[in-house]
Amino acid sequence: MAKVGRPPQDPARQLERAHRILDAAAELILRWGYDKTTIDDVARRAGVAKGTIYLHWRTRDQLFAALLRRERVHLFAGIRANAPATLPELFGGLVRETLNRPLLRAVLLGDDEVLGKLTRMKRTSGTSLELGGPFDAYIARMIEHGAVRAEPGDHLTVISSIVYGFIALPDLLPEAARLPDERIAELVTDTVERAMSTGRPLPGADRRAVAEATADILDAMEEVARRRLAASLGSEERGA
């Protein structure tokens, strides 16, 4: 496939410039919304020529897909910083970090006011929960070590309902009744615990196995996010 242009030969300079452009795009989308943000606007804010942006991305949609993929990488880094060791802690952290990232929250909820037609990209940009097979394997390990009940099943439906419900919650409540993001994350952790836990104390070996499985699924999700971002930045070979 023919390339649109030739990015600078210095990989570090290319990557720094790409992130500067993404920073500008994020700021403008949150200020004006996706539909009102043009490549010209982004170029002016980033301090680059319009044509320079097209050296990195062929279209505006590709630029913003890269932005959303970067947001997802940052989300997982934020979750990791709190070292979740259980399923409830993992998803409490996911909600906390999503609430702290307005672009991801907007995509997850299909917020047309912020993202306009970009909301359609949530199916392909890696911004939904996207759990599937790895989640099923994780739940199987949780059940094996006594941390999660096998019944009534439908674990993905339960988790997704809790996560989406609490992320949407601030918009559904009167201003005076809205809770701090940290409190919402605590409620998610507690709700997942009550909905899925066996309620039995775990022996030390099982606690360690649960913590290891939680770290493994976080590693897997973060690795997928980093690979997708690297592809969007043209940096697969550098392992960015």
Side-chain angles (χ1 to χ4, degrees), residues 17-204:
R17 191 173 67 185
H19 282 294
R20 180 153 42 94
I21 293 168
L22 293 179
D23 289 342
E27 178 184 336
L28 295 177
I29 290 176
L30 289 174
R31 184 188 304 170
W32 297 334
Y34 174 77
D35 288 345
K36 294 181 181 178
T37 300
T38 68
I39 290 293
D40 291 289
D41 296 327
V42 175
R44 280 193 297 271
R45 188 69 186 89
V48 301
K50 178 179 179 179
T52 299
I53 293 180
Y54 290 116
L55 295 177
H56 292 273
W57 299 282
R58 294 173 180 272
T59 67
R60 187 177 69 144
D61 285 354
Q62 287 184 359
L63 163 62
F64 290 122
L67 172 60
L68 295 177
R69 287 170 175 172
R70 189 180 70 164
E71 285 290 296
R72 188 171 172 86
V73 168
H74 290 166
L75 175 138
F76 287 125
I79 296 172
R80 182 178 298 285
N82 287 283
T86 66
L87 181 146
E89 290 175 1
L90 175 65
F91 285 95
L94 185 147
V95 168
R96 178 190 302 108
E97 293 303 317
T98 301
L99 290 172
N100 286 334
R101 299 202 162 275
L103 285 175
L104 282 186
R105 182 175 181 273
V107 174
L108 203 62
L109 298 179
D111 186 343
D112 288 337
E113 183 176 346
V114 174
L115 296 179
K117 73 169 188 173
L118 192 63
T119 55
R120 294 195 297 271
M121 293 174 63
K122 68 180 178 179
R123 298 185 181 89
T124 58
S125 63
T127 52
S128 63
L129 290 182
E130 288 190 335
L131 299 175
F135 178 78
D136 292 339
Y138 174 56
I139 289 296
R141 291 174 72 180
M142 296 297 97
I143 293 171
E144 176 187 354
H145 293 286
V148 168
R149 299 193 307 273
E151 300 298 334
D154 300 317
H155 299 92
L156 180 58
T157 298
V158 173
I159 286 286
S160 298
S161 299
I162 294 170
V163 167
Y164 280 99
F166 275 99
I167 288 174
L169 183 63
D171 290 343
L172 303 177
L173 295 175
E175 186 71 32
R178 293 181 184 176
L179 299 173
D181 292 350
E182 186 61 35
R183 179 55 180 156
I184 292 176
E186 291 172 355
L187 290 173
V188 170
T189 301
D190 183 69
T191 302
V192 173
E193 177 74 23
R194 292 173 183 272
M196 303 184 72
S197 172
T198 61
R200 298 191 299 270
L202 299 183

